[in-house]
Amino acid sequence: MFVNTMPRYEILSAEAVEVLDRGWRRIVSEIGVQFAKPEAVELFRAAGQRVDGEVVYLDPEFVLAQVAKAPREFDVQARNPANTVHIGGDHMVFGGVYGCPFVREGEVRRDATLDDFRRLTMLAQSFGQLDTAGGVICEPNDAPLDSRHLDMIYALATLTDKFYMGNVVSGPNAADTIAMTSILFGGRDKIEQTPATISLINCNSPLRWDDRMLDAQFEYCAASQPVVLTPYLLMGAMSPVTIPAALVQQLAEALSGIALAQLIRPGCPVIFGSFLSNIDMQSGSPSFGTPESAIGLLCTGQLARHFGLPFRTGGGLTASQTADAQAAYESLMTLLPTFLAGTNFVMHAAGWLEGGLVSCFEKFIIDIELLRMLRVEFTPLEIDEGSLAFGAHEEVGHGGHFLGAAHTMERFRDCFYRPLLSSTANYERWLKLGGKDTTARASDICAKTLADYQPPPLDDAIRAELGDYVSRRRAELGD
Amino acid sequence: MFVNTMPRYEILSAEAVEVLDRGWRRIVSEIGVQFAKPEAVELFRAAGQRVDGEVVYLDPEFVLAQVAKAPREFDVQARNPANTVHIGGDHMVFGGVYGCPFVREGEVRRDATLDDFRRLTMLAQSFGQLDTAGGVICEPNDAPLDSRHLDMIYALATLTDKFYMGNVVSGPNAADTIAMTSILFGGRDKIEQTPATISLINCNSPLRWDDRMLDAQFEYCAASQPVVLTPYLLMGAMSPVTIPAALVQQLAEALSGIALAQLIRPGCPVIFGSFLSNIDMQSGSPSFGTPESAIGLLCTGQLARHFGLPFRTGGGLTASQTADAQAAYESLMTLLPTFLAGTNFVMHAAGWLEGGLVSCFEKFIIDIELLRMLRVEFTPLEIDEGSLAFGAHEEVGHGGHFLGAAHTMERFRDCFYRPLLSSTANYERWLKLGGKDTTARASDICAKTLADYQPPPLDDAIRAELGDYVSRRRAELGD
């Protein structure tokens, strides 16, 4: 887990924050928010909010009172305690790509399979830059539809010893996640005490929370498992085309979802979610790594801090079809602001391609390199008299070189970032090594990492109990 | 020219700045700086500084008194007044790649030629993101060695109407640059009044200014043409391996060069230069786009502001051998901090590849895309009630979409960044368009840009006078 103690890059003035603050208040009170689940509406009604059908008109002060019940920071435990994470403050927690129906490996793009899911999970376990493999790392299209969430949770629980994200397709799927995680940790009380999953609850933006997502939210909040309440905003489609309007809508949606979480179980942990980019007004397709998304990201961090909430945004997002230059620059155009904003929880931090349609093995390695670099870049400099190396100048003199200086010899092993993927080989040596571009080298690293993968130890009885649960539930679900 | 009114990202504490300030003072006074030109040493001696052979031991207060004579901001005029730039303050001025012996175009890497030089100059003229084509955009290896600077200046003066950088190979080359620029602007007095070139004076780090560079500096400073006094620091080779040591050395070198400039001609414009990266301690090769270089860049901006000097750093730097993912992420890993630091003058902003050995046509286009994106990203948000688009929410309602909303229709043409190079096409459409990766698309854009290139108008008499100058000087130089 990375702790980012560098300064935050904040670009909103106090006046701008005030304008945005007035904006969400007007939306929740005058336009209202739709909750497509009667139990949700009833909770708001019982708490004194005005209701019209599925639409709840929220008193902003009521929303803030609910938001204040959420913890500012909390732990999420992993079955290997060394991988337990802290959400909030200066901590940054990273997860792999999430939700892609396709995979890309080398020159082949195809339907994702359960084997892909397992291999991507193994990659996530292999790199310390990721705190979680994520949840639906790719859609295992060859696994039975109604029970594939069981296969995914089983893979995440057994192939990694990091925490994982819960399934949110339905209430029962969420209940299965909680049940299997309870097995893994020795009882539901253990995970209610310290949560062991995080789940992504997306808003059907604008201003509508759907029934199946809410069903899942009810399960997770009741079990005190954190949810990331995430407005899903592609400006121009799910929100107006201006960034301030998107920020205001994002506040209205996220804060209303967080208020509901606190009504379900006061004090349950939540994360202020943001997924904010724009559509390409020429093609109508989603754009990622855009200037607008970077600006939105920086503002999101500042606003989440304003409300005292841990927040999720960013990732290695790109619209590119292959793991090429565009994929790299769009991803970094999001990932660097992700660090500048001090984002607490980062989904899609490795492997995302083609607007989230594709989990790409080579892109996974490229993103790991970016995360490795950014962790070094966002580590504060130590500046003292010793670091000035005055003695080295006395040793080397004018026009000399420092390659053999004592100061260099003492530090050369770890003085600079050591790349995983990047090549500094001169042209002749690079040719001799095969003249492989970055994506080809990433493919090699991917294969080697998978070959070297060691499954983390797991108690046989727990593994058997998880397997039994999967078998029993699969039979019940008729798959 | 871009004006960056976004906040600066500063990472040095006041205490850290104090430690670094003590550091350069100790170096210039105790180790001294070597100036391999008797006239330079004599200027320092006459000004009361202690001298031992070529080494000058500088009183830090004397250095600061000289530095204070340099203008904080100044203009550099272009022959098309619309392209005149302002150096300093919030202004950011960008130039193309500089100094490469090779070019890469498609899959071919080869010796650069004068034709390459001309085509790269035409590219620079074609994109508003560049304020200058630069100087030695690539080394025209097929032009006669002693007079090729004349060919380069002639190309820069005629194929672009932006300002250009002066030749610094020798004093006579600098004099030729000044003479030809005087022809272009109607007399030396015209360019002494408002400078029309910027020239790069590199330090032979550590702590040595070489004779030929100093010869060029004397010519330029005497003509009041700004010089960029640039410590050339690859940590581990030309400086110690710790960033604070490199920063202190950079201050000692740049400030000593600036002090000399003010002795040559008090008040002459200068730019605090920085070229700061590290070597790969495994391969011994230079690394670019590293975390260390980004940190150094951010600190450099803060320190230059501390001394009230316009500064140069950053660019689209990479060690990658091709215009691939590494080339893209390393370049952005430098370019984004270049904007965060509010860099006043940015060399190598387009086309740099392979550690500066290669000027790459496709990379040129990739970098232009990055510059286009970053200009939008570093434009302050306008936040007011109107931008909140409350009416659009009233129109669209819960769970609807904004594609056809009035607020969208009014703004869809220019609400978002429009890419030059990036593709958001869906996979099927992308395949139909040829399945070209970013580098292949960049190649197409490059060809189209060159085909569409229109030479800027130039008075026939001036063109003829420039041509005559080149012919006469070439004959004198025996080429």
Side-chain angles (χ1 to χ4, degrees):
Chain A
M1 181 180 31
F2 181 65
V3 182
N4 181 348
T5 55
M6 292 279 276
R8 302 290 169 262
Y9 187 60
E10 302 203 326
I11 63 176
L12 293 173
S13 67
E15 298 72 45
V17 171
E18 266 177 43
V19 172
L20 297 175
D21 191 56
R22 284 198 298 275
W24 76 266
R25 289 167 180 263
R26 187 170 177 202
I27 288 181
V28 298
S29 57
E30 296 184 30
I31 308 268
V33 181
Q34 186 178 9
F35 290 86
K37 180 176 168 74
E39 293 87 339
V41 175
E42 187 46 41
L43 281 174
F44 282 113
R45 189 205 309 270
Q49 302 306 294
R50 183 162 69 89
V51 161
D52 181 3
E54 291 186 334
V55 177
V56 180
Y57 297 88
L58 291 151
D59 170 2
E61 296 307 323
F62 165 80
V63 171
L64 292 179
Q66 297 305 310
V67 166
K69 294 178 184 168
R72 296 178 77 96
E73 307 188 20
F74 55 88
D75 281 346
V76 177
Q77 59 176 327
R79 71 176 173 90
N80 176 351
N83 292 331
T84 290
V85 299
H86 186 73
I87 303 285
D90 288 338
H91 294 253
M92 295 184 73
V93 169
F94 295 89
V97 61
Y98 184 107
C100 310
F102 304 105
V103 293
R104 187 176 183 99
E105 191 168 17
E107 291 301 305
V108 178
R109 177 194 191 267
R110 54 175 170 69
D111 285 353
T113 66
L114 188 55
D115 180 61
D116 294 320
F117 186 96
R118 289 185 179 129
R119 290 190 300 135
L120 289 163
T121 303
M122 289 155 66
L123 282 184
Q125 172 69 11
S126 303
F127 290 107
Q129 288 72 33
L130 294 183
D131 301 288
T132 172
V136 185
I137 309 173
C138 64
E139 191 68 35
N141 293 290
D142 57 341
L145 184 63
D146 286 340
S147 63
R148 65 173 61 150
H149 65 287
L150 304 169
D151 298 311
M152 290 190 271
I153 300 162
Y154 184 83
L156 291 164
T158 56
L159 296 174
T160 83
D161 57 6
K162 303 178 176 184
F163 87 88
Y164 49 83
M165 296 186 68
N167 195 281
V168 294
V169 167
S170 67
N173 281 18
D176 281 332
T177 304
I178 293 165
M180 289 178 73
T181 309
S182 299
I183 292 170
L184 196 61
F185 285 84
R188 177 160 167 144
D189 57 320
K190 297 286 196 305
I191 67 167
E192 288 205 16
Q193 209 164 15
T194 306
T197 63
I198 297 179
S199 298
L200 173 66
I201 304 297
N202 276 336
C203 189
N204 183 354
S205 305
L207 300 172
R208 177 184 155 90
W209 294 96
D210 274 341
D211 51 350
R212 290 163 70 97
M213 279 278 174
L214 287 177
D215 290 346
Q217 179 179 351
F218 269 70
E219 293 288 345
Y220 286 119
C221 289
S224 211
Q225 301 301 295
V227 286
V228 193
L229 294 146
T230 306
Y232 189 91
L233 303 184
L234 293 171
M235 290 182 277
M238 297 83 144
S239 87
V241 295
T242 42
I243 296 173
L247 291 171
V248 157
Q249 181 183 333
Q250 180 174 270
L251 283 170
E253 292 176 349
L255 296 180
S256 69
I258 290 169
L260 174 60
Q262 300 309 316
L263 290 177
I264 297 169
R265 179 163 174 162
C268 80
V270 295
I271 298 174
F272 180 105
S274 170
F275 183 88
L276 175 53
S277 193
N278 58 276
I279 60 169
D280 179 329
M281 295 309 255
Q282 279 73 55
S283 71
S285 300
S287 299
F288 294 99
T290 62
E292 291 79 11
S293 68
I295 295 166
L297 197 167
L298 295 169
C299 296
T300 294
Q302 191 171 349
L303 292 169
R305 277 188 290 279
H306 179 74
F307 289 97
L309 291 165
F311 69 104
R312 168 245 164 161
T313 183
L317 311 186
T318 176
S320 189
Q321 301 84 3
T322 65
D324 62 355
Q326 179 185 338
Y329 65 67
E330 287 185 338
S331 293
L332 187 54
M333 201 70 95
T334 312
L335 264 182
L336 212 161
T338 300
F339 277 76
L340 285 169
T343 307
N344 300 121
F345 185 46
V346 185
M347 294 177 63
H348 312 302
W352 161 297
L353 200 68
E354 215 190 293
L357 289 175
V358 170
S359 300
C360 173
F361 286 83
E362 291 80 11
K363 176 65 165 31
F364 199 103
I365 303 299
I366 292 171
D367 290 334
I368 292 290
E369 180 79 310
L370 296 181
L371 292 173
R372 291 172 89 249
M373 294 171 80
L374 289 167
R375 287 166 77 114
V376 175
E377 192 164 325
F378 283 80
T379 299
L381 262 185
E382 283 180 35
I383 299 188
D384 53 26
E385 294 293 337
S387 67
L388 301 191
F390 188 79
H393 282 291
E394 292 182 310
E395 181 182 346
V396 168
H398 306 94
H401 70 76
F402 292 83
L403 288 168
H407 183 266
T408 305
M409 298 309 285
E410 284 162 18
R411 290 167 175 78
F412 79 96
R413 281 183 208 286
D414 54 5
C415 56
F416 301 133
Y417 172 75
R418 283 199 186 199
L420 166 75
L421 171 65
S422 302
S423 166
T424 61
N426 67 46
Y427 186 67
E428 289 68 30
R429 181 163 164 73
W430 176 75
L431 278 182
K432 211 169 170 180
L433 292 169
K436 292 182 180 178
D437 72 7
T438 304
T439 306
R441 294 196 304 273
S443 182
D444 293 347
I445 292 168
C446 190
K448 184 176 183 322
T449 305
L450 290 173
D452 292 348
Y453 167 81
Q454 296 288 340
L458 178 62
D459 184 272
D460 285 340
I462 291 175
R463 185 188 303 270
E465 197 178 343
L466 285 172
D468 290 348
Y469 186 92
V470 170
S471 302
R472 178 170 63 77
R473 283 290 292 146
R474 197 192 307 279
E476 287 171 12
L477 292 165
D479 269 339
Chain B
M1 180 180 32
F2 182 66
V3 182
N4 180 348
T5 56
M6 291 281 275
R8 303 290 170 261
Y9 186 60
E10 302 203 326
I11 64 176
L12 293 173
S13 66
E15 299 72 41
V17 172
E18 268 177 42
V19 172
L20 297 175
D21 191 57
R22 284 198 298 275
W24 76 266
R25 290 168 180 262
R26 190 171 175 201
I27 289 182
V28 298
S29 56
E30 297 184 27
I31 309 267
V33 180
Q34 185 178 9
F35 291 86
K37 181 176 168 76
E39 293 86 340
V41 175
E42 188 47 40
L43 281 175
F44 282 114
R45 190 205 310 270
Q49 302 306 293
R50 182 161 70 88
V51 161
D52 181 4
E54 291 186 334
V55 177
V56 180
Y57 298 88
L58 291 152
D59 171 3
E61 296 307 324
F62 165 79
V63 172
L64 293 179
Q66 296 306 310
V67 166
K69 295 178 185 169
R72 296 178 76 96
E73 306 187 20
F74 54 88
D75 281 345
V76 177
Q77 59 176 327
R79 70 175 173 90
N80 176 350
N83 291 332
T84 289
V85 299
H86 186 74
I87 302 285
D90 288 336
H91 294 252
M92 295 184 73
V93 169
F94 296 89
V97 61
Y98 184 105
C100 309
F102 304 104
V103 294
R104 187 176 183 99
E105 190 168 17
E107 291 301 305
V108 178
R109 177 193 190 267
R110 55 174 170 72
D111 285 354
T113 66
L114 188 56
D115 179 62
D116 294 321
F117 186 97
R118 290 185 179 127
R119 290 190 301 136
L120 288 163
T121 302
M122 287 154 67
L123 283 183
Q125 172 69 12
S126 303
F127 290 107
Q129 288 73 32
L130 294 184
D131 301 288
T132 171
V136 185
I137 309 172
C138 63
E139 191 69 35
N141 294 289
D142 57 341
L145 184 63
D146 287 341
S147 62
R148 64 173 63 148
H149 65 287
L150 303 169
D151 298 311
M152 291 191 270
I153 300 162
Y154 184 83
L156 291 164
T158 55
L159 297 173
T160 84
D161 58 6
K162 304 180 176 184
F163 86 89
Y164 49 84
M165 296 185 67
N167 195 281
V168 294
V169 167
S170 67
N173 281 17
D176 281 332
T177 303
I178 293 164
M180 289 178 73
T181 308
S182 298
I183 292 170
L184 196 60
F185 285 85
R188 177 161 167 141
D189 57 319
K190 296 286 198 303
I191 68 168
E192 289 205 14
Q193 211 164 14
T194 305
T197 63
I198 297 180
S199 297
L200 173 66
I201 303 297
N202 276 335
C203 188
N204 182 355
S205 304
L207 300 171
R208 177 183 155 92
W209 295 96
D210 274 343
D211 50 351
R212 291 164 70 99
M213 280 278 173
L214 287 177
D215 290 347
Q217 179 179 349
F218 269 70
E219 292 288 346
Y220 286 119
C221 289
S224 212
Q225 301 301 296
V227 286
V228 193
L229 294 146
T230 305
Y232 189 92
L233 302 184
L234 294 170
M235 291 181 275
M238 297 83 143
S239 86
V241 293
T242 43
I243 297 172
L247 292 171
V248 157
Q249 180 182 335
Q250 181 173 270
L251 283 169
E253 293 175 350
L255 295 180
S256 70
I258 290 169
L260 173 61
Q262 301 309 316
L263 290 177
I264 298 169
R265 178 163 174 162
C268 79
V270 294
I271 297 173
F272 181 104
S274 170
F275 182 88
L276 176 53
S277 194
N278 58 276
I279 60 169
D280 179 329
M281 294 309 254
Q282 279 74 55
S283 71
S285 299
S287 298
F288 294 98
T290 62
E292 290 79 12
S293 68
I295 294 166
L297 196 167
L298 295 169
C299 296
T300 294
Q302 191 171 350
L303 292 168
R305 277 188 290 278
H306 179 74
F307 290 96
L309 290 164
F311 69 105
R312 168 247 164 160
T313 184
L317 311 185
T318 177
S320 189
Q321 300 84 3
T322 65
D324 62 355
Q326 179 184 337
Y329 65 68
E330 287 186 338
S331 292
L332 186 54
M333 200 70 93
T334 312
L335 264 182
L336 212 160
T338 300
F339 277 74
L340 285 169
T343 308
N344 300 120
F345 184 47
V346 184
M347 294 178 61
H348 311 303
W352 161 297
L353 199 67
E354 214 190 295
L357 289 175
V358 170
S359 300
C360 173
F361 286 83
E362 291 80 11
K363 177 65 166 27
F364 198 103
I365 303 299
I366 291 171
D367 290 335
I368 292 292
E369 179 79 310
L370 296 181
L371 293 172
R372 292 171 89 249
M373 293 171 82
L374 288 167
R375 287 166 78 113
V376 175
E377 192 164 325
F378 283 80
T379 300
L381 263 184
E382 284 180 34
I383 299 189
D384 53 26
E385 294 293 337
S387 67
L388 301 191
F390 188 80
H393 282 291
E394 293 182 312
E395 180 182 347
V396 168
H398 307 93
H401 70 76
F402 293 83
L403 289 168
H407 182 264
T408 305
M409 300 309 285
E410 283 161 19
R411 290 167 176 78
F412 78 96
R413 281 182 209 285
D414 55 4
C415 55
F416 302 132
Y417 173 72
R418 283 200 187 200
L420 167 74
L421 172 64
S422 303
S423 165
T424 60
N426 67 45
Y427 186 67
E428 290 67 31
R429 182 163 164 73
W430 177 74
L431 277 184
K432 210 169 172 180
L433 292 169
K436 292 182 179 178
D437 72 7
T438 304
T439 307
R441 296 196 303 273
S443 181
D444 294 347
I445 292 169
C446 189
K448 183 176 184 321
T449 305
L450 290 173
D452 292 348
Y453 167 82
Q454 296 289 339
L458 178 63
D459 183 273
D460 284 340
I462 291 176
R463 185 188 302 270
E465 197 178 344
L466 285 172
D468 291 346
Y469 186 91
V470 170
S471 303
R472 178 170 62 77
R473 283 289 293 146
R474 197 192 306 280
E476 289 171 9
L477 292 165
D479 270 339

